[in-house]
Amino acid sequence: MSTSSIDLRTATLDELRSADAQLREEVTAYGESLHMLSKAVSRYHASGRAIEALSKETVGKDMLIPLTESLYVPGKIAKTNGVLLDVGTGYFIEHDAEKGIDYCKRKVNFIRENVDALMELLTKKRKQLVLVQDFMRARMQEQAQATQAGA
């Protein structure tokens, strides 16, 4: 049941509970997405800084190459003017360092736009949740008063 399709003033307590549960799930999911996008921004920033640092190094210098977040293997810098960018789903693009840095900056800007849109949506859903909870409390109070009056 969508919260936008029910009239909160006339909704039953069960309908309000259902809307509350749905909105809680949505708020949680949007919060998790926001967290994942923030981590992606951090990774692209780190990648941009790494490309910048690499472009200032000398060919043949020893370095540790990350295979995973916790596994590194020794290697040597083969070239400093080119980078291989993972663009997703198994595709890679070779660019010079300047274009690699620009790619990372563009990705950060794109993700930030999505974060801003998601923040607006999350704020809207949180307001809807508070509103539904207020109506739920009022409906429960009405039921309690009706029960007391009937007893």
Side-chain angles (χ1 to χ4, degrees):
M1 171 185 302
S2 174
T3 56
S4 62
S5 67
I6 65 170
D7 183 358
L8 295 177
R9 294 168 294 183
T10 60
T12 66
L13 189 54
D14 287 339
E15 290 173 326
L16 290 171
R17 283 185 178 131
S18 175
D20 177 66
Q22 178 185 348
L23 284 168
R24 284 177 191 265
E25 287 177 16
E26 290 177 9
V27 165
T28 300
Y30 293 147
E32 289 171 358
S33 295
L34 196 57
H35 179 70
M36 288 173 30
L37 289 173
S38 295
K39 286 173 71 172
V41 165
S42 296
R43 285 193 307 269
Y44 277 111
H45 270 301
S47 295
R49 287 191 307 269
I51 294 170
E52 221 171 306
L54 177 67
S55 67
K56 295 174 185 173
E57 293 294 338
T58 57
V59 174
K61 181 179 178 185
D62 289 332
M63 68 179 294
L64 291 174
I65 302 165
L67 295 181
T68 66
E69 287 187 25
S70 60
L71 178 63
Y72 292 80
V73 295
K76 292 188 184 289
I77 296 176
K79 63 181 182 177
T80 60
N81 60 344
V83 294
L84 193 61
L85 302 171
D86 181 354
V87 294
T89 61
Y91 290 95
F92 294 86
I93 297 175
E94 190 168 355
H95 277 300
D96 61 29
E98 187 177 311
K99 285 184 181 177
I101 293 168
D102 181 58
Y103 174 82
C104 291
K105 286 179 181 176
R106 284 185 287 122
K107 290 299 274 188
V108 165
N109 290 335
F110 176 74
I111 293 170
R112 282 192 175 149
E113 289 173 9
N114 287 325
V115 165
D116 292 343
L118 188 58
M119 282 294 291
E120 286 180 33
L121 186 58
L122 183 59
T123 300
K124 178 182 168 187
K125 291 295 180 179
R126 283 181 175 154
K127 286 179 182 177
Q128 288 176 352
L129 180 60
V130 168
L131 189 61
V132 166
Q133 289 173 339
D134 287 345
F135 273 94
M136 265 179 49
R137 274 191 290 282
R139 195 74 71 238
M140 287 190 287
Q141 203 170 31
E142 289 171 5
Q143 285 185 352
Q145 289 172 350
T147 303
Q148 287 177 353

